[in-house]
Amino acid sequence: MIPVSFYRVFLIFLRIGNLTFGGGDPTMAALQSELVSTHRWLSPERYGLVYALARITPGTNLLAFCAGTAYELLGWGGAIVAVAAVTVPSAAVVVLLTAGYQTWKSNPLAMAAIGGTLAAAVGMMATSAWQLLRPQLAGGRRLRAVVVFGVSVLLSLRFGLSPIPVLGLAALVGFFWRVPATK
Amino acid sequence: MNVFLLYLLLLKATITSFSGLSSLPVVQHDLVEHRRVLTDRQLSAAVAAGRTAPGPNGSYIVSVGYFVAGIPGACAGCLAVMSPAFLIIFMLRYLGARAERRDVKSAIQAVTLAAAGLIVTSTLPLARDSITGPLPAAIAAGTFLFLTLTRRATIWVILAAALAGLLGALV
């Protein structure tokens, strides 16, 4: 078995975190394969615990998962190395793309292309909302899903309530109004 | 805008969300509507930039930071994306099995549902700004269908949308 080190952890998280497309789940599956199956640095039980906790950690679940698994391997230093390896390269690409937007916005042809991507962004946001809603529309969970979703839209759109109180109210509703689990 | 304040505002958005774009309503409320340091168009561009880059979906926050305060703002955004992840360490040490409690999971599911509703609300002003004719409407609808029905990388949608916009201007 190859011993765990900061350098190896950095390389694994850099490669998998930045080259796996399809979002958090495929990336976490690739990391599971690498950390649990290939290198055997992490037991399936600890992987399961980190996976479950990452789901309920605020922020980006994938980053919480990276911080948790790397903490299990190398403590705080490992967590910082893993989160930086996954975040910083993509942040640099995002800065370059944003700078490009600001540079090209005076060019009509470039703006036509950018206009297309801005329209696509609207579709992406609608997809994001649908992907959050869809898993909770199953069976006995549908009524709560429709009520919480609908009331959130209403409170925000009709009554101008800011997001934090809406999210707080939803947490309270969810705490008391439990529905059957899917898994 | 002061970079530390920007970090705190972006952190407020990331720490109250549970997935990539669910922080968007808080960003829009604080930076577009309340402080007016960001426009709806810039927020749409930030989402497109964030989804074009590899890595976590929430990286659009870095672009938001760059629009508001340049490179220092981008660093503030990057830190705001990274910071909440470390909460899992305290949860690993102190919560453990309690994370499996049904009431905790149920509360998080409801917060996720509310975030979906808030994303819809936030998308409306962005749609009014970006959807100015049949072609952008078709691009937005096509993006939704493509991303919902396939598991292909978002980069292809972005490239196709840019090409469609360009062809629309040339024809």
Side-chain angles (χ1 to χ4, degrees), chain A residues 17-18 21-22 26 46 49-50 52-65 67-68 71-72 76 79-80 83-84 86-88 90-91 93-95 97-99 101-102 109 111-113 116-134 136 141 144-145 148-149 152-153 156-157 162-164 166-167 170-171 174-175 177-180, chain B residues 12 14-19 21-22 24-26 29 41 44-45 47-56 58-59 62-63 66-67 71 74 78 81-82 84-93 96 99-100 102-103 106-121 123-124 126-127 130 136 139-140 143-144 147-148 151 153-154 158 161-162 165-166 169-170:
Chain A
N18 292 285
F21 284 99
R46 294 305 288 180
L49 178 63
V50 175
L53 287 173
R55 293 273 172 192
I56 61 165
T57 305
T60 307
N61 296 159
L62 170 62
L63 293 182
F65 176 82
Y71 175 79
E72 290 284 312
W76 271 98
I80 292 168
V83 172
V86 174
T87 313
V88 174
S90 74
V93 175
V94 168
V95 167
L97 290 168
T98 312
Y101 170 85
Q102 288 189 317
L109 281 181
M111 267 321 284
T117 65
L118 297 183
V122 171
M124 286 172 206
M125 283 180 256
T127 309
S128 172
W130 174 241
Q131 284 172 346
L132 294 177
L133 180 64
R134 185 175 54 185
Q136 301 202 47
R141 312 202 300 166
R144 187 185 72 166
V148 176
F149 175 82
S152 301
V153 173
S156 166
L157 205 60
S162 65
I164 303 287
V166 175
L167 296 171
F175 194 82
W177 184 0
R178 290 171 220 160
V179 289
Chain B
K12 178 182 158 192
T14 56
I15 214 160
T16 53
S17 71
F18 286 92
S19 74
L21 284 184
S22 57
L24 193 125
V26 179
H29 178 264
R41 178 156 279 247
S44 295
V47 170
R51 295 295 291 259
T52 306
S59 56
V62 177
S63 178
Y66 185 82
F67 273 125
I71 294 290
C78 191
V81 172
M82 292 163 74
F86 297 104
L87 288 174
I88 196 171
I89 293 169
F90 298 102
M91 293 165 81
L92 273 168
R93 289 173 71 165
E100 290 294 317
R102 273 194 65 203
D103 47 10
S106 179
I108 288 166
Q109 285 169 356
V111 169
T112 305
L113 285 167
L118 292 171
I119 290 172
V120 169
T121 310
T123 305
L124 295 177
L126 275 58
S130 308
I139 292 173
T143 301
F144 176 79
L147 293 178
T148 307
R151 289 185 64 82
T154 314
I158 301 270
L166 194 61
L170 290 172

Side-chain angles (χ1 to χ4, degrees), chain A:
Chain A
M1 189 172 84
I2 301 170
V4 62
S5 70
F6 281 103
Y7 179 65
R8 290 201 177 96
V9 164
F10 171 75
L11 285 184
I12 287 172
F13 280 88
L14 180 73
R15 173 167 52 83
I16 295 179
N18 292 285
L19 295 177
T20 308
F21 284 99
D25 283 329
T27 309
M28 286 191 261
L31 285 168
Q32 179 191 13
S33 160
E34 196 90 19
L35 303 175
V36 180
S37 308
T38 307
H39 293 296
R40 298 177 189 277
W41 289 336
L42 199 62
S43 70
E45 292 74 25
R46 294 305 288 180
Y47 169 85
L49 178 63
V50 175
Y51 184 84
L53 287 173
R55 293 273 172 192
I56 61 165
T57 305
T60 307
N61 296 159
L62 170 62
L63 293 182
F65 176 82
C66 294
T69 46
Y71 175 79
E72 290 284 312
L73 304 177
L74 292 164
W76 271 98
I80 292 168
V81 163
V83 172
V86 174
T87 313
V88 174
S90 74
V93 175
V94 168
V95 167
L96 289 175
L97 290 168
T98 312
Y101 170 85
Q102 288 189 317
T103 306
W104 296 323
K105 70 181 177 186
S106 53
N107 180 316
L109 281 181
M111 267 321 284
I114 288 168
T117 65
L118 297 183
V122 171
M124 286 172 206
M125 283 180 256
T127 309
S128 172
W130 174 241
Q131 284 172 346
L132 294 177
L133 180 64
R134 185 175 54 185
Q136 301 202 47
L137 288 173
R141 312 202 300 166
R142 189 174 300 139
L143 177 64
R144 187 185 72 166
V146 171
V147 169
V148 176
F149 175 82
V151 170
S152 301
V153 173
L154 195 71
L155 288 175
S156 166
L157 205 60
R158 186 91 178 91
F159 299 100
L161 204 61
S162 65
I164 303 287
V166 175
L167 296 171
L169 279 173
L172 209 58
V173 169
F175 194 82
F176 291 107
W177 184 0
R178 290 171 220 160
V179 289
T182 49
K183 291 176 186 175

